[in-house]
Amino acid sequence: MKDAEHHHHHVRDTFGSSFGVLVALAGSAVGLGNLWRFPYLVGENGGAAFILIYIAFVCLLGIPVMLSEFIIGRRSQSNARGAFRRLAPGSHWGVAGILAVVCCILILSFYSVVGGWGVEYLLRALRFDFTSGGSSDLSSFFTTFTASTWKPLVCHTAFMLASALIVVFGVKNGIEKFSKVMMPVLFVIMIGLAVRSLTLPDAGAGITYLFRPDWSKVTSDTVLAALGQAFFSLSLGSGMVITYGSYVSKKANILSLSAQTALADTLFALIAGCAIMPAVFAFGISPGEGPGLVFITLPHIFSNLPFGGAIAILFFLALLLAALTSSISLLEVIVTFCIEEFKLKRKTAVALTAFVLWVLGCLCSLSLGVLGDWRIFGKTVFDLFDYVSANVLMLIGGLLVVLFVGWKMDRKAIHDELSNSGSLHVPEWFIGLLTFLVRYLAPAAILAIMVFQWIS
Ligand code: PHE
């Protein structure tokens, strides 16, 4: 065996420590989904009721899907496609892995564009540009900037290059090292921003909005939005947990890692909510602004806040760090796939992937401006990628993963992964509950919500 490994021309990378795994997983989960998407979805869907449904989905569907992906990844020690093929040789399950890779390609294309906006806004904050200018200026700035041709492309290029530069160093020396430093920084900044916001004179209305549910606002759209957001925010159905899981040591406890990741992600979403909503209410702005919320509303608030200039810098720095620790995970799914399925060197795989994604990202960016008339199914490229990934591919990916673990995979292999071949004690009732969630509840719920979405 040892000899065989020596003859292999590449030895698989691994994470260095379980803290490293946790920050890498949390780094992937915590991203624009928490700081940009979650606050505006909460605002559009009426606040606390949405949050409670979201949390229920994270626990009942998110954790079982994440654990299933973990089981597939760590068992197979292989990329998203290779994992299915190794565990079910001679079957068509590899297609599930290909779908996951396609999903990451679509997400990263527009993610890098929004990350680029983060770069521009951080630079503006550093020039103290938000301390002047009213909210209508800020809104027209956002629209003009995102629709223009060159500047967003330059920012998108910088963001993609930064992501590629981290991933080229590999899992342990690139992704893990970066996340270990940046996640604590991100946490401290976000706590600081939340404290600042919660101590504003009129913070009460924002807190009520976040924590007192108004069930009359709940519609079927709220339920769909909550499920889509749970999957997007936890990076599920995209092969991320399969890929990172394949680099996790056989001694790590994947059960507690899954629970901790889900907890950290939810905590970050709530902290982001606490940093944003009280300020929105204190300044009498409508929370239902939509996707422009953090790019239009927040700069307006910063311009009126004591020390607003410094707060703006911290906020957009946080946004950029959160986006980077997620974009590197999206890139890694595709890169690991290319390395193993096409036998490429990491450097070649990173260069190739980053280039193709850079081109796709350019299309996304331009589709908000000069290419705006080019519609596919009535959507711009940007909106199409966003819609197809979060509302279709991630859900199908999650469904296939639970079906695979629930109905196809060998029971003993699953039990071995959960208990680390018997060295961890996993109670019977827990296995029973998990089996029920993975076999019946999660597939039925995901399918029902998807079908409902398509017929309505
Ligand atoms: N979870 C990330 C976010 O919230 C997005 C993401 C999705 C990252 C899928 C990796 C895979 O921003």
Side-chain angles (χ1 to χ4, degrees):
M1 192 62 213
K2 268 266 156 328
D3 270 350
E5 266 170 31
H6 277 299
H7 291 303
H8 250 229
H9 59 260
H10 95 260
V11 176
R12 244 172 157 269
D13 207 349
T14 50
F15 281 105
S17 67
S18 45
F19 177 70
V21 180
L22 180 62
V23 284
L25 283 167
S28 170
V30 177
L32 295 170
N34 306 57
L35 271 72
W36 166 62
R37 224 166 173 267
F38 182 77
Y40 87 73
L41 284 176
V42 170
E44 285 181 340
N45 289 288
F50 173 85
I51 298 183
L52 288 176
I53 300 172
Y54 170 79
I55 293 178
F57 281 157
V58 167
C59 299
L60 287 176
L61 307 177
I63 295 180
V65 174
M66 187 180 295
L67 201 51
S68 302
E69 282 201 32
F70 233 133
I71 291 171
I72 296 174
R74 192 173 62 166
R75 185 74 188 169
S76 65
Q77 311 267 297
S78 185
N79 69 89
R81 174 172 186 254
F84 285 103
R85 283 160 57 94
R86 235 178 230 187
L87 299 177
S91 72
H92 290 296
W93 278 97
V95 175
I98 304 236
L99 278 182
V101 174
V102 171
C103 180
C104 288
I105 292 176
L106 297 186
I107 297 177
L108 187 51
S109 304
F110 72 84
Y111 210 85
S112 174
V113 173
V114 182
W117 300 348
V119 174
E120 164 70 12
Y121 273 69
L122 177 61
L123 293 175
R124 275 174 64 94
L126 285 167
R127 296 195 302 262
F128 289 99
D129 252 7
F130 301 126
T131 43
S132 57
S135 67
S136 65
D137 287 352
L138 287 163
S139 147
S140 69
F141 170 78
F142 178 71
T143 329
T144 317
F145 166 67
T146 53
S148 62
T149 300
W150 293 110
K151 228 177 182 190
L153 288 189
V154 173
C155 296
H156 152 61
T157 308
F159 186 86
M160 188 64 86
L161 277 178
S163 311
L165 190 68
I166 300 166
V167 171
V168 95
F169 286 99
V171 173
K172 193 197 285 160
N173 294 323
I175 293 174
E176 181 174 353
K177 267 201 183 137
F178 184 75
S179 308
K180 260 188 188 163
V181 178
M182 294 311 172
M183 288 309 285
V185 173
L186 179 63
F187 185 68
V188 172
I189 296 179
M190 289 311 295
I191 293 279
L193 290 172
V195 169
R196 166 69 275 211
S197 194
L198 290 169
T199 50
L200 283 171
D202 286 315
I207 303 182
T208 308
Y209 186 75
L210 282 172
F211 295 108
R212 185 172 305 155
D214 176 358
W215 295 105
S216 70
K217 294 239 175 72
V218 174
T219 64
S220 66
D221 284 348
T222 316
V223 177
L224 295 178
L227 183 68
Q229 174 60 13
F231 271 61
F232 187 83
S233 193
L234 293 171
S235 311
L236 298 177
S238 61
M240 184 286 280
V241 187
I242 298 182
T243 306
Y244 276 14
S246 77
Y247 293 117
V248 168
S249 116
K250 292 279 181 198
K251 292 199 198 90
N253 184 340
I254 61 173
L255 240 162
S256 63
L257 278 169
S258 301
Q260 285 164 349
T261 305
L263 188 70
D265 186 62
T266 308
L267 213 66
F268 263 98
L270 292 177
I271 297 173
C274 287
I276 293 167
M277 283 308 163
V280 166
F281 277 86
F283 287 90
I285 291 166
S286 151
E289 281 293 325
L293 189 69
V294 303
F295 291 104
I296 301 170
T297 311
L298 281 188
H300 171 57
I301 292 168
F302 297 146
S303 69
N304 289 300
L305 220 55
F307 303 108
I311 294 172
I313 296 176
L314 289 177
F315 180 80
F316 287 109
L317 180 65
L319 185 99
L320 199 58
L321 291 181
L324 268 174
T325 52
S326 298
S327 68
I328 55 180
S329 72
L330 288 157
L331 199 52
E332 184 61 39
V333 172
I334 313 166
V335 164
T336 301
F337 169 79
C338 290
I339 292 176
E340 294 177 358
E341 300 293 308
F342 306 133
K343 308 272 176 284
L344 298 180
K345 289 208 180 83
R346 177 168 283 269
K347 266 191 197 146
T348 320
V350 171
L352 191 79
T353 310
F355 177 72
V356 170
L357 277 142
W358 175 77
V359 173
L360 290 172
C362 289
L363 286 181
C364 284
S365 183
L366 294 174
S367 81
L368 301 176
V370 290
L371 294 182
D373 290 334
W374 179 29
R375 298 290 166 112
I376 306 163
F377 303 118
K379 291 182 189 303
T380 60
V381 179
F382 188 108
D383 289 343
L384 183 77
F385 282 17
D386 182 0
Y387 184 89
V388 172
S389 56
N391 295 344
V392 183
L393 288 182
M394 293 184 106
L395 298 184
I396 295 181
L399 179 64
L400 291 176
V401 160
V402 279
L403 288 177
F404 186 80
V405 171
W407 298 94
K408 172 86 189 163
M409 223 179 135
D410 175 34
R411 303 277 94 198
K412 167 117 184 13
I414 297 174
H415 199 274
D416 273 358
E417 284 309 313
L418 288 175
S419 68
N420 291 355
S421 305
S423 63
L424 296 173
H425 174 68
V426 190
E428 256 337 291
W429 67 264
F430 184 83
I431 301 273
L433 175 66
L434 199 66
T435 309
F436 169 72
L437 291 177
V438 170
R439 286 195 139 193
Y440 304 102
L441 188 84
I446 298 170
L447 202 62
I449 293 174
M450 261 188 333
V451 169
F452 192 82
Q453 183 179 21
W454 288 334
I455 58 175
S456 63

